[in-house]
Amino acid sequence: MNSNPINNNRSQSDRLNQRPPHGRTNYVPGNRPVGATSSPNRKTSAGSNGRSRRNHPQKRRSTTAPALTHRMTTTNEKNPVIPEVMDDDTVRVIPVSGVEEIGRNMIIVETKDDIVVIDAGFQFVTEESNAPGINYILPNTQYLEERKHKIRALIVTHGHLDHIGGIPFIIERIGNPAIYTQYLTSLMILKRQEEFPHIEPVNMNVIKEGESFTVGKMRIKTFPVTHSIPDAMGVCVETKHGDVVITGDIKLVHEDGKVVVEERASWEKVGLNKNLVLLCDSTNADREGFSASEERVYETLDNIIASATGRLIIGTFASQFDRLINIIKTCEKLGKKVVLEGRSIKTNIDIAIQAKLIEVQPHTFISPSDIGDYPSDKIVILSTGAQGEEFAALMRMATDKHKFVTLNERDTVVLSSSIIPGNEIAVQKLKDNIYRKNVRVVNYKGSHVHSSGHGNAGELVWIHQAVKPRFLIPVHGHHYHLKSHMYAAIENGFPKENIVVPDNGTIIDIKNGTEMIRHSIKIPTEMVLVDGFTVGTRQEVVLRDRLSLAQDGMFVIIATVNNKTGKLRKSPDIISRGFVYLRENQQLLSEARVLIKRTVEKHTEKMNPLDLDYVKDQLSDVVSGFLMQKTQKTPMVIPVLIGI
């Protein structure tokens, strides 16, 4: 029996195999880090069970792209000249991306001499992205590439992919600056870097929450925040006229809307500084009051695990470290076996063990092939796929495609996650397939099996009042999230004239600590895409062709032409894919062949030598017009003329 199915291959991140002592480290593959920092003792909420308070779920899948074999050259956008920061009395803040969408978070803080970059995430492609075949969307780093000599550090607030996912793709483009982050986040970054062995090793500096450090002339202070993953932190960038405070993703630990003492103390300590501007998470700003407590989720899941009379399958985000850890500990107390299904869950549990976040008893984990060796009520399966991903473990179980798990009426499926916008149809298909098995399904709408890692409007207003900034810039969310954040702040006394709601690339300068200027021009914001093995700006022709093929299909013409006479040697062959079914459209096919023959021979008449490229262009135009007239469709017409 395999007692531990987790991947135990020793790798780059595995060399950080112990929680290191306090301090920083420059990480080089093959060397043990010297003086790497540990995370401090995790703060706990007011509950008596002593569970960590820094853990709530983030809505992101954990996958990575293949290693790149080459990189596309990005094209320069024709933008007006952007004024430089020329004096010590100006602080520039630029949300590069992440403020017109959920994902690919990146913020720039710039002074006359220095730039620090906060986070470098990516965004998963949705149908709304209108980018078929694209793997991820990245922040546009053209502004940074042109000023890489000023970049002093990349500071990462936490380990979710919408904050770290872009690092392997953009780190070299911006000069491979030193990375500063906490221990768990560093492990997650290094684990991803292993899949990109062709790039230079990152310069990793592991810091402790609450620690301060200096890069260039900038002093950076960090502070602990609560999110859905351990080792999340906020950042304060000291400037001449006050601090730029960046929260990262946040929520508050509270009891019925009353912030617990330890949480309150952390934020009030930040508020003791002279805070110039607050850049604050807005993801749940459209929801009133305070968000649900993660402790209630723990209690609900504990009860479900204890009362399960058959197998229990829990679908959740792999990044919900503390929720996964809580489930595993509960299973150990109840004598149940845990099956890890999904690469990202196995990887993150491996990282949690390496980071000493959990110690697993021998034989707690079993292989899926050993499920039949135990009573069904002793089996708990932790699975990826709660967002309805087609090839994830949960969907394979629901469609009888899983090698070892076939759902039956005694099973219970818990969907311990909310639905990521854009995944509604996929999740509905997943639930339909599960219900066809007459399986009991528990989700967040009917039971407290999930809570968000982002604070509601009431929590954000509380943070404004604790931090007491002069200016406010809502970040992280769609425009309606940012505007909802603004309205909540104004309703609670924040001056409207001191709030800027940015778009991606908005340049915001704060002069003399008293005046906030929103420039009319923006930094380049053209989407940067990961397309298989390539990275670059949106290739309009490629994507347009993909959309055309998806919508109207293609019409391929293959004809042989006599090089001497310009006549067709035989009737042209025609291939249709995604356009019309040729066997049922013989009349159209016959007319097309006649038109093709007439068009080719018309344009080759008296042409010596033959210019088949010119003829192909003319043929494509004529046939496209003909097909549009006959079918009201515009397939991609691809003529192939062979001179013989």
Side-chain angles (χ1 to χ4, degrees):
M1 187 186 307
N2 182 3
S3 63
N4 191 348
I6 298 175
N7 178 13
N8 286 314
N9 294 331
R10 296 298 90 190
S11 53
Q12 178 174 334
S13 64
D14 293 331
R15 298 187 184 101
L16 296 175
N17 57 6
Q18 293 182 349
R19 306 266 309 166
H22 176 57
R24 294 202 276 283
T25 176
N26 292 332
Y27 182 82
V28 179
N31 295 340
R32 287 185 63 84
V34 179
T37 190
S38 66
S39 285
N41 294 332
R42 308 309 306 156
K43 297 183 179 180
T44 57
S45 64
S48 60
N49 55 11
R51 294 188 179 105
S52 168
R53 74 176 177 91
R54 310 215 174 271
N55 26 19
H56 307 281
Q58 169 68 4
K59 306 171 185 177
R60 288 286 168 257
R61 297 169 291 171
S62 296
T63 63
T64 56
L68 306 179
T69 56
H70 67 282
R71 296 180 184 258
M72 297 187 296
T73 302
T74 57
T75 57
N76 290 327
E77 295 185 25
K78 296 181 179 179
N79 283 325
V81 176
I82 298 173
E84 298 296 329
V85 180
M86 301 301 294
D87 59 82
D88 291 326
D89 291 314
T90 299
V91 178
R92 174 167 292 174
V93 177
I94 305 175
V96 177
S97 50
V99 292
E100 294 183 59
E101 67 252 318
I102 301 292
R104 63 179 188 134
N105 296 292
M106 177 181 280
I107 295 169
I108 294 171
V109 179
E110 181 178 5
T111 61
K112 180 171 69 73
D113 300 306
D114 304 307
I115 291 175
V116 292
V117 183
I118 314 297
D119 294 329
F122 65 31
Q123 181 184 34
F124 287 99
V125 176
T126 63
E127 292 182 5
E128 292 75 17
S129 304
N130 209 28
I134 299 302
N135 302 100
Y136 315 113
I137 304 175
L138 304 176
N140 188 310
T141 55
Q142 183 177 326
Y143 181 89
L144 290 172
E145 291 169 42
E146 294 167 355
R147 295 160 180 81
K148 65 174 65 175
H149 62 282
K150 291 180 64 176
I151 301 174
R152 308 300 174 219
L154 168 61
I155 304 169
V156 183
T157 58
H158 66 280
H160 283 145
L161 288 173
D162 58 334
H163 292 257
I164 69 169
I167 292 176
F169 305 105
I170 63 95
I171 192 72
E172 287 183 338
R173 291 173 177 251
I174 63 174
N176 205 9
I179 299 175
Y180 290 81
T181 193
Q182 292 198 79
Y183 182 63
L184 178 65
T185 309
S186 75
L187 293 180
M188 299 182 75
I189 293 172
L190 294 174
K191 191 68 175 178
R192 280 184 54 77
Q193 292 300 115
E194 291 174 5
E195 302 190 17
F196 301 84
H198 62 290
I199 68 176
E200 291 295 319
V202 296
N203 179 8
M204 182 66 71
N205 294 265
V206 181
I207 62 174
K208 177 182 178 180
E209 64 179 19
E211 183 178 343
S212 300
F213 56 94
T214 300
V215 290
K217 297 180 180 178
M218 285 183 170
R219 182 168 175 78
I220 311 297
K221 298 175 290 191
T222 64
F223 59 94
V225 300
T226 301
H227 186 41
S228 56
I229 187 171
D231 279 5
M233 68 181 187
V235 175
C236 298
V237 181
E238 286 189 3
T239 73
K240 179 178 178 180
H241 296 286
D243 289 0
V244 178
V245 182
I246 300 165
T247 66
D249 289 350
I250 50 167
K251 69 180 297 183
L252 295 177
V253 178
H254 64 92
E255 295 176 350
D256 298 325
K258 184 177 180 180
V259 181
V260 299
V261 173
E262 191 175 15
E263 183 86 71
R264 177 184 293 273
S266 294
W267 285 104
E268 289 179 346
K269 183 178 179 181
V270 176
L272 295 176
N273 302 323
K274 181 182 179 182
N275 293 317
L276 181 62
V277 59
L278 173 67
L279 286 83
C280 188
D281 179 17
S282 307
T283 306
N284 279 351
D286 58 321
R287 305 179 186 179
E288 296 182 355
F290 280 56
S291 59
S293 168
E294 183 74 5
E295 288 296 323
R296 191 167 185 180
V297 175
Y298 290 157
E299 294 170 3
T300 302
L301 289 175
D302 287 354
N303 290 334
I304 292 173
I305 294 170
S307 61
T309 58
R311 292 179 306 186
L312 183 63
I313 300 98
I314 302 177
T316 187
F317 297 113
S319 60
Q320 293 171 326
F321 277 84
D322 281 359
R323 192 175 299 177
L324 294 174
I325 290 169
N326 179 76
I327 291 170
I328 293 168
K329 288 181 177 178
T330 300
C331 290
E332 288 183 335
K333 291 177 184 177
L334 297 173
K336 299 199 175 190
K337 301 299 180 181
V338 178
V339 179
L340 303 180
E341 272 297 286
R343 176 174 175 265
S344 55
I345 280 184
K346 293 177 183 178
T347 297
N348 284 358
I349 293 299
D350 195 18
I351 290 173
I353 293 172
Q354 179 182 341
K356 307 299 183 184
L357 295 176
I358 183 175
E359 293 184 5
V360 182
Q361 298 174 5
H363 311 302
T364 293
F365 296 126
I366 65 170
S367 171
S369 60
D370 296 327
I371 289 177
D373 296 339
Y374 299 90
S376 60
D377 63 345
K378 295 296 183 182
I379 298 294
V380 175
I381 302 173
L382 289 176
S383 175
T384 57
Q387 296 302 306
E389 299 95 324
E390 182 179 359
F391 299 109
L394 198 52
M395 182 63 85
R396 286 187 282 117
M397 295 178 202
T399 55
D400 293 336
K401 295 179 181 178
H402 195 281
K403 188 175 180 179
F404 301 109
V405 181
T406 301
L407 297 180
N408 60 60
E409 294 183 5
R410 292 189 60 196
D411 295 332
T412 299
V413 173
V414 177
L415 301 179
S416 182
S417 64
S418 57
I419 302 174
I420 298 173
N423 289 347
E424 292 84 359
I425 294 176
V427 174
Q428 186 59 53
K429 288 181 179 178
L430 171 67
K431 291 195 291 186
D432 284 344
N433 285 324
I434 294 173
Y435 273 100
R436 286 185 181 278
K437 307 296 182 183
N438 297 319
V439 174
R440 178 189 174 215
V441 177
V442 181
N443 61 36
Y444 73 101
K445 291 187 175 180
S447 182
H448 296 287
V449 294
H450 176 71
S451 69
S452 175
H454 303 270
N456 290 5
E459 292 161 84
L460 304 182
V461 169
W462 187 96
I463 289 170
H464 304 162
Q465 294 170 350
V467 174
K468 300 185 287 291
R470 176 184 288 269
F471 301 108
L472 173 65
I473 303 175
V475 293
H476 299 175
H478 294 281
H479 188 74
Y480 82 93
H481 292 125
L482 309 189
K483 279 289 177 64
S484 297
H485 193 163
M486 181 191 76
Y487 294 143
I490 293 171
E491 289 172 3
N492 287 273
F494 206 98
K496 182 178 181 180
E497 62 273 14
N498 286 5
I499 304 175
V500 167
V501 175
D503 293 324
N504 289 336
T506 297
I507 302 171
I508 303 166
D509 285 350
I510 303 176
K511 302 277 190 179
N512 300 310
T514 58
E515 181 184 8
M516 186 161 60
I517 301 169
R518 176 180 184 149
H519 288 270
S520 58
I521 61 174
K522 300 178 182 179
I523 68 170
T525 58
E526 183 182 6
M527 286 200 300
V528 177
L529 311 173
V530 179
D531 182 5
F533 289 170
T534 58
V535 175
T537 52
R538 173 186 283 269
Q539 294 177 295
E540 291 294 349
V541 174
V542 172
L543 294 181
R544 186 172 65 244
D545 286 350
R546 290 178 185 176
L547 290 169
S548 176
L549 288 169
Q551 294 168 0
D552 294 316
M554 66 178 180
F555 191 83
V556 182
I557 303 162
I558 304 174
T560 55
V561 183
N562 189 310
N563 281 329
K564 294 182 179 179
T565 65
K567 304 290 186 181
L568 294 188
R569 298 180 67 91
K570 64 176 183 177
S571 180
D573 293 323
I574 294 175
I575 301 172
S576 171
R577 292 291 183 270
F579 171 49
V580 295
Y581 185 44
L582 293 182
R583 289 187 180 180
E584 296 181 357
N585 290 271
Q586 290 298 316
Q587 180 64 30
L588 175 69
L589 195 61
S590 298
E591 293 179 15
R593 285 198 170 101
V594 172
L595 178 63
I596 293 165
K597 184 176 186 298
R598 185 167 64 241
T599 302
V600 171
E601 295 181 352
K602 172 185 174 182
H603 286 93
T604 57
E605 186 178 6
K606 298 180 181 180
M607 179 184 285
N608 189 18
L610 294 182
D611 185 352
L612 293 183
D613 287 336
Y614 170 79
V615 177
K616 283 192 290 185
D617 289 342
Q618 301 303 312
L619 180 61
S620 179
D621 291 342
V622 171
V623 174
S624 293
F626 167 75
L627 296 177
M628 176 64 183
Q629 181 184 20
K630 291 293 185 178
T631 66
Q632 293 300 302
K633 294 183 179 180
T634 55
M636 182 181 294
V637 176
I638 305 175
V640 180
L641 300 183
I642 305 170
I644 298 178

